[in-house]
Amino acid sequence: MANEAMREQWTAGAAGWVENESLFDTVFAPVTAAILDAAGFEAGQRVLDVGCGSGTLLAAAAAADAEPVGVDVSPGMVEGARRRVPGAVVVVADAQTAPLLEEAPGRPFERVVSRFGVMFFDDPTAAFANLRAACAPGARLAFACWRGEEENPMFTLGTEALLAQMAEPSAAAAPGAPGPTAFADPDRLSALLAEAGWGEVATAPLDAVADYGAVPGFGADGVEARLTASLATSTGRRARAELEPRLGEAGWAALLDDVRTDLRRHLDDGVIRFPLACWLVTAVA
């Protein structure tokens, strides 16, 4: 399987994302809505969700009476998606290299979608070409990906206090390296898609708001929701693995209280909310 490091990362992180799928679905609801509007699911269409996670877009495809198929490198994510959308076909595979119409036999796909699932390929041109090869002529691609880290508090708010305690903070990723902001450069992204054989490529800014106060069951100010989300990320998991044994139970609890205090400094009208800066990308096979 290509890109083994990303497979390991998402396999390790699946439990936190699946357990908190309603949290992430609430926070990313505006992004999900934009993808669905761009994709325009219709009854009977065969839909492929790339990096399907716990199945948000698969559930939307099923609700539209489309035929949902999901692919993800993480067995835990696939298991969660299968539970959530029993009628979907969901496979553990690397969409960069897997023969998708063999992994999920059937006619070519009329729609390909993804919510933050396409930025982790080690060879994105090959990956997008592989997706196109599994599509019917005229199939529509619609996905959301992140813009730059500097525009997105998503990557820092709630983790600064954790990172400050770590022995060796992570080095910054090289521009374009596999990871959340791999496609921050829209010109590079458009060129990759064109090189992979996609036409009518359009990359438009998608600006939304992450409202953690809207997440049910975590408190009206969203502080606990944001803390939970932060600990579910790769940065949060790495921090916990290093710091909890070193600080002990009481020290770790005290550090989390420091994180809560820091988050409360960023309340917007009493709630944790901040901008999401993304690209909404569409193309045609």
Side-chain angles (χ1 to χ4, degrees), residues 23-24 27 152-160 210 212 215 218 221-233 259 263 272 274:
L23 188 164
F24 292 109
V27 170
N152 279 292
M154 177 64 67
F155 300 115
T156 54
L157 185 59
T159 57
E160 298 97 328
Y212 285 83
V215 180
F218 283 91
D221 64 4
V223 169
E224 289 303 318
R226 177 58 189 171
L227 177 60
T228 299
S230 296
L231 292 175
T233 66
V259 174
L263 286 171
I272 293 291
F274 51 77

Side-chain angles (χ1 to χ4, degrees), residues 95-195:
Q96 176 177 308
T97 56
L100 296 168
L101 295 180
E102 294 178 20
E103 295 282 353
R107 71 183 190 279
F109 297 101
E110 286 105 0
R111 293 289 185 272
V112 178
V113 295
S114 183
R115 189 188 71 183
F116 304 132
V118 296
M119 304 92 68
F120 304 97
F121 300 121
D122 58 2
D123 187 344
T125 301
F128 286 124
N130 193 49
L131 295 175
R132 182 185 56 79
C135 287
R140 188 182 306 167
L141 171 69
F143 67 83
C145 60
W146 296 107
R147 301 205 306 259
E149 185 171 319
E150 68 282 356
E151 295 183 84
N152 279 292
M154 177 64 67
F155 300 115
T156 54
L157 185 59
T159 57
E160 298 97 328
L162 299 178
L163 291 171
Q165 297 292 325
M166 295 178 68
E168 294 185 12
S170 298
T181 59
F183 297 146
D185 181 346
D187 294 331
R188 172 176 177 266
L189 174 54
S190 295
L192 288 171
L193 287 164
E195 186 179 352

